[in-house]
Amino acid sequence: MKVLVIGGGAREHALCRSLSLDPEVTALHCAPGNAGIAEVAELHPVDALDGAAVAALATALEAGLVIVGPEAPLVAGVADAVRAVGIPCFGPSREAAELEGSKAFAKDVMAAANVPTARSYVCTTPQQIDDALDAFGAPYVVKDDGLAAGKGVVVTDDLAAARAHALTCDRVVIEEFLDGPEVSLFAITDGVTVLPLQPAQDFKRALDNDEGPNTGGMGAYSPLPWADPKLVDEVLETVLQPTVDELRRRGTSFSGLLYAGLAITGRGVRVIEFNARFGDPETQVVLARLRTPLAGVLLAAAEGNLAALPPLTWRDDAAVTVVVASHNYPDTPRTGDPIEGLADVAAQDAPDAYVLHAGTRLDDGGTVVSAGGRVLSVTATGKDLTQARERAYTALGRIGLAGSQHRTDIARVAAEG
């Protein structure tokens, strides 16, 4: 099978790494990719938001499967364009991707499907914003209705800050605060059958002890030793399957990766948000634990054959990933700094630890340099979270990136039990 992956972040590097280890994959391509992905896939320049260009590239490559990684191309309808030329595509249609593209649409679907979530108001005027903030009180949860690359949500006790963020949004969702630990659960679906993966937890705040601003994610781990063993089955029954069924009922069948961001509250599981693609950085740890070859599973989803697959198999190992971010992330990150130590990790820590590239590129001299806010995901596996953490941070210690930042507490509490 020839596979084309669309995107250029650490999520796509994780996907390409798994696909490169799959014996069914005879040729692996990525567009546009990054410096790390270039080591396992052939890169191609393409505008990932241009459905016609992506479809033309897939046709020229004679791809048997296209996997759309990021949310923006999905919301732009890239998966529709690929399917229109007769190539199987893993990723929802433009209409179905509105589950992530519009939080108000997601709330409407959840209400119709009786999916448990936070109470909320959709606001478009200053008066509506003030009324909603007053109704819920602190802590305030304010979400830009549209795509914001993981940085459109503000959770704060500061009323002025909450109101200021809300006023920057064309349409905003203001909702009640959900207390309790958060869980990310991915599910692969063909629009009928829903196949949940193993849960993970990510860390949104920039600084240790969950301080600092929200980011796209600073690290993740899996499995969750503290979680109820029945959690996945419960979420499948109360959240994932009802949502897929409701979208199919509406005529907007969801085929691809459905990501449920969950809060485990005192009143039970509640949905914080849906995404229409693999999450970053959770993908890095979930795929590190998946034993079943990936390509066949994603192709079965794209072709509507998930029900025929045998159950997924998983490694017993734990996995931890720690994000190395640029100076000044998540504000205006500095780019162009050389990255040192990548070869040292490959020589001394593989295969138990490895580096997945997010925001990187090769400069004119062939040096890997930073090219984004989140630059690397240092990922490791081990017999338990303690060993996986040790391996991840040992590998991270070999890497040099001027002014970079990372959290030192990823998975620490879970590892300590």
Side-chain angles (χ1 to χ4, degrees), residues 62-130:
E62 299 180 336
L65 174 66
V66 175
I67 301 164
V68 182
E71 60 271 27
L74 292 168
V75 172
V78 168
D80 304 88
V82 172
R83 280 191 279 266
V85 297
I87 297 175
C89 185
F90 183 80
S93 67
R94 180 189 61 78
E95 287 188 331
E98 279 297 289
L99 200 63
E100 177 170 3
S102 168
K103 294 174 180 63
F105 174 74
K107 288 288 188 183
D108 184 65
V109 170
M110 284 188 273
N114 200 30
V115 169
T117 187
R119 295 179 296 122
S120 63
Y121 294 102
V122 179
C123 307
T124 55
T125 69
Q127 186 60 55
Q128 290 174 341
I129 288 168
D130 290 340

Side-chain angles (χ1 to χ4, degrees), residues 158-184:
D158 184 336
L159 176 59
R163 188 173 191 273
H165 178 64
L167 290 172
T168 66
C169 307
D170 290 335
R171 185 160 72 156
V172 64
V173 175
I174 296 173
E175 63 185 38
E176 67 175 326
F177 177 75
L178 297 175
D179 61 347
E182 296 185 12
V183 173
S184 299

Side-chain angles (χ1 to χ4, degrees), residues 32-322:
N34 62 40
I37 295 174
E39 297 178 7
V40 294
E42 183 179 346
L43 302 191
H44 304 269
V46 77
D47 178 355
L49 299 178
D50 186 338
V54 172
L57 175 61
T59 300
L61 294 173
E62 299 180 336
L65 174 66
V66 175
I67 301 164
V68 182
E71 60 271 27
L74 292 168
V75 172
V78 168
D80 304 88
V82 172
R83 280 191 279 266
V85 297
I87 297 175
C89 185
F90 183 80
S93 67
R94 180 189 61 78
E95 287 188 331
E98 279 297 289
L99 200 63
E100 177 170 3
S102 168
K103 294 174 180 63
F105 174 74
K107 288 288 188 183
D108 184 65
V109 170
M110 284 188 273
N114 200 30
V115 169
T117 187
R119 295 179 296 122
S120 63
Y121 294 102
V122 179
C123 307
T124 55
T125 69
Q127 186 60 55
Q128 290 174 341
I129 288 168
D130 290 340
D131 290 346
L133 292 171
D134 184 60
F136 287 129
Y140 305 101
V141 181
V142 183
K143 300 181 175 181
D144 190 330
D145 179 57
L147 294 180
K151 296 185 282 288
V153 179
V154 166
V155 181
T156 179
D157 290 321
D158 184 336
L159 176 59
R163 188 173 191 273
H165 178 64
L167 290 172
T168 66
C169 307
D170 290 335
R171 185 160 72 156
V172 64
V173 175
I174 296 173
E175 63 185 38
E176 67 175 326
F177 177 75
L178 297 175
D179 61 347
E182 296 185 12
V183 173
S184 299
L185 185 61
F186 302 160
I188 294 169
T189 178
D190 57 10
V192 178
T193 300
V194 181
L195 190 64
L197 305 185
Q198 290 290 303
Q201 185 174 64
D202 79 329
F203 296 77
K204 289 293 188 191
R205 298 288 187 172
L207 307 176
D208 284 3
N209 303 313
D210 291 328
E211 296 178 356
N214 261 352
T215 71
M218 295 299 291
Y221 69 93
S222 179
L224 312 181
W226 49 267
D228 188 331
K230 298 177 183 176
L231 175 65
V232 173
D233 290 339
E234 178 188 346
V235 175
L236 175 62
E237 181 181 340
T238 64
V239 174
L240 299 170
Q241 192 71 56
T243 299
V244 169
D245 292 345
E246 171 61 21
L247 286 166
R248 188 175 68 254
R249 187 189 67 77
R250 294 178 179 218
T252 54
S253 179
F254 189 106
S255 171
L257 195 290
L258 178 58
Y259 165 131
L262 309 164
I264 314 301
T265 75
R267 295 174 292 142
V269 174
R270 297 288 185 271
V271 175
I272 301 170
E273 64 174 353
F274 282 129
N275 290 333
R277 39 74 195 181
F278 281 103
D280 184 343
E282 299 97 319
T283 300
Q284 289 86 302
V285 292
V286 173
L287 292 186
R289 300 186 58 227
L290 179 64
R291 189 185 298 276
T292 301
L294 183 62
V297 180
L298 302 189
L299 181 64
E303 295 185 332
N305 298 324
L306 267 187
L309 282 188
L312 299 178
T313 59
W314 297 88
R315 296 182 176 89
D316 292 332
D317 287 356
V320 171
T321 193
V322 183

